[in-house]
Amino acid sequence: MRNDTEKEKADDEQTDERKGLDFRFRYHAIGIALISFVTIVALLGVYYIMFHLEKLSSLLSFLGGIFTPVLYGFVIAYLMTPMLNWMEQKHVKPFIEKKGLKIGSRGISVLLTAVLCLLALFIVIYLFISQIIPSINDIIVNIDIYSQNISQFFSTTFENNPEIGEQVANLYNLLYDRVEGLISTLMANFSGILLTVLASGLNLLRTLWNFILGFIFALYMIGSKEMFVGQARKIVYCVFQEDRANQILTDARFIHRTYIGFIGGKILDSFIIGCLCLLFTTILGTPYNGLVSLIVGITNVIPFFGPFIGGIPCAILVFVVTPTQPLNMVYFGILILMLQLFDGYVLGPRILGNSTGIAGFWVIFSIITFSGFFGVAGMIIGVPTFAVIFAAVRREVNGHLQKKGLSTNRKKYETMDTMRNGEFVIYPKEKKPPKAVHHTLRDIFKNSFKSHHK
């Protein structure tokens, strides 16, 4: 009986071992099959990309055209969210609670936000149609008059220096001939240019339609933004562990604060600077004040380089229009300088605050680097993007230093010479022996005689 029991146990152990082997074999077989499948799919994808790149580009363009309104809607909703929060928390909700009304504040807030955005867009379009287009048309019509005024200015200025005046006049005539040749080439190819303009008009209409769809989509998004945020958080906690999910949400909040604080604040800041420029150029009587104010306001969105990109061409335009009154350009330059000082020390810190948290060197570095990759858009988003990358690297570095039991204070690393057992070591400065100084002429001759005698 005992032998039978032991035999049954041995058979059960062999069966369990056989099952374990079968399970491990199936597990490894499934893993190998999945790796093989992923590898084959990757190879097929590489083959398709290499030999069917045009079809892939067409497919991506088709999908991009479909999802363009959604992308516009997401960007518009993201930029409208701070205005919606301000409208709802500061005005609509307190008014409803004060009056005791039993209506929702979100719908009214969305409506008022949409009205304000459309009103701002209408003002920009009105200024563009009423001021900018006539100004550009007037410049094109009077270009010959401006050319004669500049020639007269050069001849009057260099009247006592005819050689310099001749060189400047030759340079100006060369530039004028180039511009005139370019205009002649454009007129000769007018039919092709007209077709290009018509195609651009169709693209403009398509863009306008996508913008309208995106704006409607954005209104639905900001009206139910808490629902979308809740769904996103739900997915994050479903996919990741709790600690990792908490870190992802913290990073998302930081990225949101950085981008919306910088881009939204920069747009508001540039709008105020453009309005102030329009006010003061109107007072000064600056020619084409609407055009130059629009250029100054738009280029002010670009950090650091924006004032130079917008101010210098506008100053040249003011000089070209009124070369006999060069003080207009001087006054305009002083105005731009004062506006930028006001923006840098008063308006900018109040609106932007310390939204990026990076030094001036990294601001310039990020603008130059991202503009090389993405052009003008890179100059705008480069600073907040680099601020996010910089914060992530700083967090990782500080985390590893804390694990090693080292300090994260940057000031200590600036003054240290080396480190021993986690302690900062600063070498004592070597004292140089004082130089022998001969105070009188007699001492000089005396020491010289002694050295020669020896």
Side-chain angles (χ1 to χ4, degrees):
M1 188 70 178
R2 185 177 178 180
N3 294 332
D4 295 339
T5 305
E6 292 178 355
K7 186 176 181 181
E8 290 178 358
K9 288 183 179 180
D11 293 338
D12 292 339
E13 290 177 359
Q14 291 179 359
T15 303
D16 294 338
E17 185 178 359
R18 193 179 301 109
K19 289 181 179 180
L21 291 174
D22 293 340
F23 175 77
R24 286 195 295 270
F25 176 76
R26 287 196 299 270
Y27 178 79
H28 290 297
I30 292 172
I32 294 172
L34 286 175
I35 294 173
S36 302
F37 176 75
V38 172
T39 304
I40 292 172
V41 170
L43 292 175
L44 290 175
V46 172
Y47 171 80
Y48 187 84
I49 291 174
M50 292 177 62
F51 296 97
H52 300 83
L53 186 60
E54 295 182 356
K55 294 182 179 180
L56 182 62
S57 300
S58 302
L59 178 62
L60 293 177
S61 300
F62 176 73
L63 294 177
I66 293 176
F67 290 103
T68 296
V70 178
L71 179 62
Y72 283 1
F74 178 79
V75 174
I76 295 171
Y78 187 74
L79 296 177
M80 289 173 63
T81 299
M83 185 183 298
L84 173 70
N85 295 335
W86 172 77
M87 182 67 67
E88 185 174 15
Q89 300 297 330
K90 298 292 185 180
H91 298 282
V92 177
K93 188 175 289 186
F95 178 80
I96 291 176
E97 293 177 353
K98 183 179 180 180
K99 297 296 183 180
L101 302 176
K102 295 182 179 180
I103 56 176
S105 61
R106 177 54 56 85
I108 299 175
S109 301
V110 171
L111 178 62
L112 292 177
T113 303
V115 170
L116 287 177
C117 292
L118 291 176
L119 180 62
L121 184 62
F122 172 77
I123 292 174
V124 172
I125 294 175
Y126 174 76
L127 288 175
F128 186 81
I129 295 175
S130 63
Q131 297 288 332
I132 310 308
I133 293 179
S135 298
I136 297 175
N137 183 52
D138 188 59
I139 292 173
I140 295 174
V141 171
N142 298 319
I143 189 171
D144 292 334
I145 298 175
Y146 299 151
S147 175
Q148 294 176 3
N149 292 336
I150 294 175
S151 299
Q152 184 179 0
F153 170 77
F154 284 147
S155 60
T156 304
T157 303
F158 298 104
E159 185 175 1
N160 297 326
N161 298 288
E163 295 180 356
I164 299 177
E166 184 179 359
Q167 295 294 329
V168 174
N170 292 334
L171 178 61
Y172 172 75
N173 291 330
L174 178 62
L175 293 176
Y176 184 79
D177 292 339
R178 293 289 179 85
V179 173
E180 190 176 13
L182 178 62
I183 295 175
S184 300
T185 303
L186 293 176
M187 295 303 295
N189 301 314
F190 181 75
S191 58
I193 295 173
L194 182 61
L195 293 176
T196 304
V197 170
L198 291 175
S200 301
L202 293 176
N203 292 330
L204 180 62
L205 291 177
R206 189 180 297 109
T207 303
L208 180 61
W209 176 246
N210 289 333
F211 177 81
I212 294 173
L213 293 178
F215 188 81
I216 297 173
F217 184 73
L219 295 181
Y220 281 98
M221 286 190 67
I222 63 175
S224 304
K225 60 187 181 69
E226 288 82 5
M227 180 188 70
F228 294 114
V229 172
Q231 291 174 346
R233 291 175 179 172
K234 186 177 178 182
I235 294 173
V236 170
Y237 281 103
C238 174
V239 176
F240 300 97
Q241 296 295 328
E242 182 178 343
D243 294 339
R244 185 61 178 170
N246 291 334
Q247 186 61 51
I248 290 174
L249 293 182
T250 302
D251 294 341
R253 293 189 191 99
F254 173 76
I255 293 171
H256 167 69
R257 288 195 302 268
T258 302
Y259 272 92
I260 201 65
F262 182 82
I263 297 178
K266 201 63 181 174
I267 291 174
L268 178 60
D269 174 79
S270 301
F271 178 75
I272 295 174
I273 291 297
C275 292
L276 290 176
C277 183
L278 179 62
L279 173 63
F280 288 111
T281 51
T282 304
I283 295 174
L284 293 174
T286 305
Y288 305 117
N289 56 343
L291 177 61
V292 298
S293 300
L294 180 66
I295 295 174
V296 168
I298 291 176
T299 55
N300 193 73
V301 178
I302 302 173
F304 190 79
F305 295 104
F308 302 100
I309 296 174
I312 294 176
C314 290
I316 295 174
L317 175 63
V318 172
F319 172 73
V320 168
V321 173
T322 57
T324 56
Q325 299 175 354
L327 289 179
N328 287 338
M329 183 183 67
V330 176
Y331 293 151
F332 179 76
I334 294 174
L335 172 62
I336 296 300
L337 179 62
M338 297 301 293
L339 285 176
Q340 293 308 315
L341 291 175
F342 171 73
D343 184 22
Y345 291 98
V346 180
L347 184 62
R350 289 182 177 272
I351 295 178
L352 297 174
N354 193 18
S355 58
T356 58
I358 57 177
F361 169 80
W362 295 117
V363 171
I364 300 174
F365 174 81
S366 60
I367 294 172
I368 294 175
T369 304
F370 281 85
S371 64
F373 286 103
F374 306 106
V376 178
M379 300 181 75
I380 298 174
I381 67 171
V383 175
T385 303
F386 186 83
V388 171
I389 298 173
F390 188 86
V393 173
R394 179 174 54 193
R395 185 187 66 193
E396 292 296 324
V397 171
N398 291 339
H400 286 288
L401 289 175
Q402 289 175 355
K403 290 180 180 179
K404 294 181 178 181
L406 301 177
S407 174
T408 58
N409 188 355
R410 177 177 53 85
K411 296 292 184 180
K412 294 183 179 180
Y413 292 91
E414 292 178 1
T415 57
M416 67 171 289
D417 288 312
T418 186
M419 183 178 293
R420 293 173 185 169
N421 300 323
E423 298 293 334
F424 294 95
V425 178
I426 301 176
Y427 293 145
K429 295 183 179 179
E430 297 180 358
K431 294 183 179 180
K432 296 181 180 180
K435 294 181 179 180
V437 179
H438 303 289
H439 298 284
T440 61
L441 186 62
R442 186 191 64 180
D443 294 334
I444 296 174
F445 283 107
K446 185 178 179 180
N447 294 331
S448 176
F449 175 77
K450 288 182 178 179
S451 61
H452 179 71
H453 181 70
K454 289 181 180 181

